[in-house]
Amino acid sequence: KAGVTQTPRYLIKTRGQQVTLSCSPISGHRSVSWYQQTPGQGLQFLFEYFSETQRNKGNFPGRFSGRQFSNSRSEMNVSTLELGDSALYLCASSTTSGGAVETQYFGPGTRLLVL
Amino acid sequence: GDSVTQMEGPVTLSEEAFLTINCTYTATGYPSLFWYVQYPGEGLQLLLKATKADDKGSNKGFEATYRKETTSFHLEKGSVQVSDSAVYFCARFDNYGQNFVFGPGTRLSVLP
C-alpha cells in the first residue's frame, strides 16, 4: 500500500496570506489527523476527521480549519498567516476499530515558512 | 491533563553502545503506547507499539515494555548504529480525547 502523501512539501508565504495543505491517507483509512511541529512547542494536535466529520480539535485559533472529502482525503487551511505559523505540518492517517483510532501513520509533512 | 514525559536529550552514544530512552505517562485508564522515530527532514515513522500492560513491542532491534505499575514505556536497544541517529517520540493514545499525546522527543546521535 502507498503511504500517506502530503502536498506540497514546501511552501513560502507572506504574512496575511492564506494557505491550503493537502493530505491523502493510506487506502482504507478513514481517520485523518493534523499536527503542527515546531522546535519550541513540539508536536501539537490540530484536529482529527473521520468520515468527513471533525471529531476532535486541539487548542488552535479559528484561523486553522480543515475538511475531509468522501474519499478520505483531507485539506487544512490557515488564513491570515502569521510569522508564528511557520512550522512542519504533519498529517497522519489511522487504522480504526469500531470508529476508534488504533495506530497513526504519518506523512512526510509540509514545511511552511511565513515571511 | 494526560501527558507524556521523556528524558531530555540530546543523547550521544558510540556505535554498539546500549541505549535506553525513558518515557513515563499519566493517563486515565489503559492507553495504547507508541514509539515513533523521526529522521532528519522526514515525518514520523511508527517504530513499535504496545496495547496492554506487560506487552512488549519490538522492531529493528528496539524494544519497549508496557509497565502499568510504573506507568513507563522505556525504549531500549542493545547495540546502536550510526543510522539510528534521529529524534524519538514516545506517545500515548488518549481514549477520551481520541487523539495522540506526544512527548517532547529525544534526539539521539550515534558516533562511529
Side-chain angles (χ1 to χ4, degrees):
Chain A
K1 277 186 179 178
V4 179
T5 57
Q6 291 187 246
T7 56
R9 292 293 309 277
Y10 304 93
L11 263 181
I12 300 176
K13 293 285 188 178
T14 56
R15 286 169 53 189
Q17 287 188 307
Q18 74 163 15
V19 67
T20 298
L21 312 181
S22 181
C23 171
S24 292
I26 293 170
S27 177
H29 289 190
R30 293 165 61 193
S31 169
V32 174
S33 299
W34 289 90
Y35 294 83
Q36 181 194 66
Q37 186 179 26
T38 59
Q41 300 296 319
L43 272 161
Q44 294 187 282
F45 172 73
L46 280 156
F47 27 66
E48 185 239 355
Y49 285 86
F50 179 80
S51 292
E52 301 179 66
T53 300
Q54 185 183 89
R55 289 200 297 190
N56 297 288
K57 191 176 190 303
N59 189 27
F60 277 80
R63 300 185 296 107
F64 291 81
S65 63
R67 59 178 176 168
Q68 186 180 35
F69 302 94
S70 59
N71 61 359
S72 294
R73 191 176 70 84
S74 178
E75 289 181 347
M76 69 162 280
N77 184 276
V78 188
S79 62
T80 320
L81 283 166
E82 300 177 359
L83 296 179
D85 297 333
S86 295
L88 180 67
Y89 290 88
L90 292 165
C91 167
S93 77
S94 305
T95 56
T96 53
S97 175
V101 170
E102 290 189 321
T103 302
Q104 291 193 331
Y105 297 87
F106 285 81
T110 295
R111 188 164 296 280
L112 172 65
L113 177 60
V114 181
L115 301 176
Chain B
D2 294 340
S3 65
V4 175
T5 304
Q6 289 180 238
M7 62 187 290
E8 284 192 30
V11 173
T12 303
L13 295 173
S14 298
E15 206 164 22
E16 299 183 2
F18 184 86
L19 169 71
T20 300
I21 300 179
N22 290 338
C23 170
T24 57
Y25 64 92
T26 62
T28 303
Y30 305 102
S32 295
L33 302 173
F34 303 81
W35 277 100
Y36 284 85
V37 57
Q38 186 176 33
Y39 297 101
E42 298 183 12
L44 275 69
Q45 297 179 24
L46 176 66
L47 184 58
L48 53 84
K49 71 174 186 177
T51 58
K52 60 183 187 297
D54 299 326
D55 265 4
K56 177 186 283 189
S58 62
N59 185 28
K60 299 181 181 178
F62 291 89
E63 292 184 340
T65 301
Y66 191 141
R67 302 285 188 199
K68 184 166 70 76
E69 63 277 11
T70 54
T71 61
S72 66
F73 193 54
H74 304 324
L75 182 68
E76 296 182 335
K77 186 174 185 182
S79 176
V80 293
Q81 305 299 313
V82 172
S83 57
D84 293 327
S85 298
V87 180
Y88 292 82
F89 292 89
C90 184
R92 55 170 293 278
F93 181 66
D94 178 351
N95 293 311
Y96 293 91
Q98 289 290 297
N99 66 74
F100 276 59
V101 177
F102 286 85
T106 301
R107 183 176 298 279
L108 169 67
S109 293
V110 180
L111 305 178

